[in-house]
Amino acid sequence: MTVRELAQKLGARAVCEPEPDRQVCGCYTGDLLSWVMGRAQADNVWVTIMTNINTVAVATLADVSCVVIAEGAELDEAAAKTAEAKGVNVYSSPLSSYSLCAAISDLI
Amino acid sequence: MADCVRLRYVIDGENFTSAGEASVKVKRSLRQMGFSPEVIRKVSVAMYEGEINMVIHARGGVATVDVYEDRIVIVLEDEGPGIPDIPLAMQAGYSTAPDNIRSLGFGAGMGLPNMKKYTDDMKIESVVGKGTTITMTVNV
């Protein structure tokens, strides 16, 4: 499944979507960035409530397929610009991390 | 010595939001050189953790990445406070990062353990009051 298909099925809003056709494989959730870098696998969907610019760096380096921001948290403007430039797909959803993971588990 | 490509970056210790720039540049360079995604991920995560550590603890430093055909060697040098107890610092969950860093999502005490996890060899040389040099090797 592509990140765009997943986001549409989740009803998540695209904050930036530079690589919409990227394939999704598995999911990881967490907000402690080193923990995410240590555990998330490449191509995972990463569900988090962290919205600062370091989130984008971690998404790039851990090579996740997309970031889904939970609880309707807003990515700050600098982070959104950087995500676009770095090719990081970011979506936002009003759902909690738990609800998102449960929904993703049903979809992939 | 085999041919190597040397990448060198000055890590700005004042600017926490730009921390990670060097790691992202290294990632891009390695991709252009045709390394596998797994090798690139190992190098870039290990380097990012080191970069963040230098910004949090040591007011920045210098990162040198030597790219050989069969291995990638990352050397991170700083003139920070040094690490008084390296085995303690290596323990997962041990952190001396201040609260403002924790609020950004760092300071979980996983930086050095991640660097060790993602590299095939890691050496820490540190003198309290002088600085720290970390040398990490990822085999290709």
Side-chain angles (χ1 to χ4, degrees), chain B:
Chain B
M1 194 164 70
D3 286 345
C4 103
V5 174
R6 171 163 285 188
L7 309 168
R8 194 173 160 84
Y9 306 93
V10 174
I11 312 296
D12 180 359
E14 300 298 315
N15 192 348
F16 196 80
T17 55
S18 73
E21 283 296 315
S23 310
V24 172
K25 284 179 187 157
V26 166
K27 180 180 175 171
R28 197 178 302 140
S29 299
L30 294 177
R31 189 184 278 164
Q32 283 163 358
M33 291 180 211
F35 286 96
S36 73
E38 194 196 343
V39 165
I40 294 172
R41 194 175 124 94
K42 283 179 175 178
V43 170
S44 49
V45 168
M47 185 168 160
Y48 184 56
E49 292 284 14
E51 217 183 315
I52 293 291
N53 277 348
M54 288 201 286
V55 175
I56 296 174
H57 299 290
R59 302 177 305 278
V62 174
T64 308
V65 181
D66 285 341
V67 183
Y68 298 87
E69 209 171 302
D70 64 340
R71 68 193 188 283
I72 295 163
V73 181
I74 307 155
V75 180
L76 306 170
E77 297 165 273
D78 71 57
E79 295 178 354
I83 305 172
D85 186 338
I86 292 172
L88 180 62
M90 286 300 299
Q91 279 182 18
Y94 179 79
S95 175
T96 57
D99 284 347
N100 64 322
I101 297 301
R102 289 172 200 262
S103 71
L104 292 171
F106 292 107
M110 295 301 293
L112 288 171
N114 270 354
M115 289 156 73
K116 188 170 175 61
K117 174 181 172 178
Y118 278 110
T119 55
D120 294 296
D121 184 66
M122 175 165 131
K123 284 192 190 70
I124 304 177
E125 295 160 87
S126 191
V127 179
V128 172
K130 295 262 185 196
T132 300
T133 298
I134 298 185
T135 305
M136 298 180 284
T137 304
V138 172
N139 296 327
V140 174

Side-chain angles (χ1 to χ4, degrees), chain A residues 63-83:
Chain A
D63 207 16
V64 296
S65 56
C66 68
V67 182
V68 181
I69 297 171
E71 312 276 9
E74 289 290 332
L75 198 65
D76 67 50
E77 200 177 321
K81 274 191 188 146
T82 307

Side-chain angles (χ1 to χ4, degrees), chain A residues 3 6-7 10 30 36 40 46 81 83 100:
Chain A
V3 293
L6 178 73
L10 288 172
V36 175
W46 173 25
K81 274 191 188 146
L100 279 167

Side-chain angles (χ1 to χ4, degrees), chain A residues 20-79:
Chain A
D21 297 327
R22 186 151 175 191
Q23 292 291 316
V24 166
C25 183
C27 176
Y28 187 84
T29 183
D31 306 312
L32 291 172
L33 301 181
S34 290
W35 208 268
V36 175
M37 277 192 289
R39 301 295 170 96
Q41 307 288 310
D43 301 322
N44 277 179
V45 178
W46 173 25
V47 179
T48 185
I49 53 164
M50 292 303 281
T51 54
N52 60 53
I53 197 151
N54 302 303
T55 308
V56 177
V58 168
T60 307
L61 298 168
D63 207 16
V64 296
S65 56
C66 68
V67 182
V68 181
I69 297 171
E71 312 276 9
E74 289 290 332
L75 198 65
D76 67 50
E77 200 177 321

